[in-house]
């Protein structure tokens, strides 16, 4: 929003609904469609910041990323594609097939959020990556739901 406090837990947004919508409409739908993940990251309270437990170390995160990337490289070994984000429509159909429960969930998201075909494809690519991180051959409803949850700006703009 224009004041910067929409959704803030410590400060009150003073913007009207109209001004928030006008502000968000400056970001075009086609531009948003090209962004894989939209997240709202709220500011931490002082106490949360000062007493935050030590997070996962970089070495562990790197190992997980390398393992996931190796899975993707193996999947695309006979193609010029090297990651899920670069999948072509044909590869998307091959590697991101959904069962009935996932198709129903995706249908609800498309209807409820007014998603475009491009946003649909982005969600599938992110869901495939989440499934890879979970070492799952198939995209499961929880992978798809997590990927859909990363489309915050689609929710706000509907």
């Amino acid at each position: 929003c224009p004041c910067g406090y929409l959704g803030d837990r410590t400060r009150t947004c003073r913007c009207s609904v109209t001004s928030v919508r006008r502000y968000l409409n400056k970001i075009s739908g086609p531009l948003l469609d090209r962004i894989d993940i939209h997240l709202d990251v709220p500011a931490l309270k002082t106490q949360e910041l000062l007493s935050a437990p030590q997070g996962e170390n970089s070495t562990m995160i790197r190992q997980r990323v390398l393992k996931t990337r190796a899975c993707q490289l193996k999947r695309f070994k006979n193609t010029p594609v090297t990651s899920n984000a670069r999948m072509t429509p044909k590869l998307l159909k091959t590697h991101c097939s959904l069962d009935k429960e996932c198709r129903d969930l995706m249908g609800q998201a498309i209807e409820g959020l007014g998603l475009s075909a491009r946003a649909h494809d982005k969600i599938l690519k992110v869901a495939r990556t989440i499934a890879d991180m979970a070492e799952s051959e198939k995209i499961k409803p929880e992978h798809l739901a997590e990927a859909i949850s990363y489309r915050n700006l689609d929710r706000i703009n509907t």
Side-chain angles (χ1 to χ4, degrees):
C1 68
C3 77
Y5 298 125
L6 181 66
D8 193 299
R9 296 181 293 176
T10 59
R11 297 182 184 129
T12 304
C13 174
R14 60 183 183 271
C15 304
S16 68
V17 173
T18 305
S19 68
V20 170
R21 199 161 288 289
R22 190 179 318 116
Y23 186 79
L24 288 171
N25 283 337
K26 291 180 181 181
I27 305 171
S28 72
L31 176 62
L32 280 178
D33 277 351
R34 288 173 170 79
I35 300 171
D36 293 358
I37 298 175
H38 316 159
L39 285 177
D40 179 37
V41 183
L44 293 174
K45 293 180 181 175
T46 304
Q47 191 57 35
E48 292 171 321
L49 187 59
L50 295 175
S51 66
Q54 184 67 28
E56 192 176 7
N57 72 43
S58 296
T59 303
M60 292 173 66
I61 294 169
R62 186 176 196 283
Q63 292 298 325
R64 212 170 54 243
V65 169
L66 290 174
K67 188 174 183 179
T68 303
R69 294 289 296 192
C71 170
Q72 293 173 23
L73 287 171
K74 181 179 175 186
R75 175 180 299 126
F76 303 122
K77 67 181 173 187
N78 296 322
T79 72
V81 174
T82 58
S83 70
N84 292 339
R86 303 275 185 227
M87 275 192 274
T88 63
K90 183 179 178 182
L91 290 172
L92 198 65
K93 285 184 182 184
T94 303
H95 300 294
C96 296
S97 61
L98 302 176
D99 64 17
K100 182 181 180 344
E101 187 177 0
C102 286
R103 283 193 309 274
D104 290 347
L105 179 59
M106 182 63 96
Q108 290 170 3
I110 290 169
E111 290 292 320
L113 300 175
L115 299 175
S116 67
R118 181 177 280 130
H120 165 273
D121 290 356
K122 295 283 188 184
I123 289 170
L124 286 180
K125 291 173 184 181
V126 170
R128 177 68 265 163
T129 300
I130 293 166
D132 290 346
M133 292 180 75
E135 299 180 26
S136 175
E137 287 292 317
K138 298 278 185 188
I139 295 173
K140 296 179 181 174
E142 58 267 26
H143 306 141
L144 187 59
E146 183 177 344
I148 291 167
S149 77
Y150 295 146
R151 300 296 296 196
N152 271 357
L153 293 177
D154 290 323
R155 259 191 295 286
I156 292 169
N157 285 328
T158 56

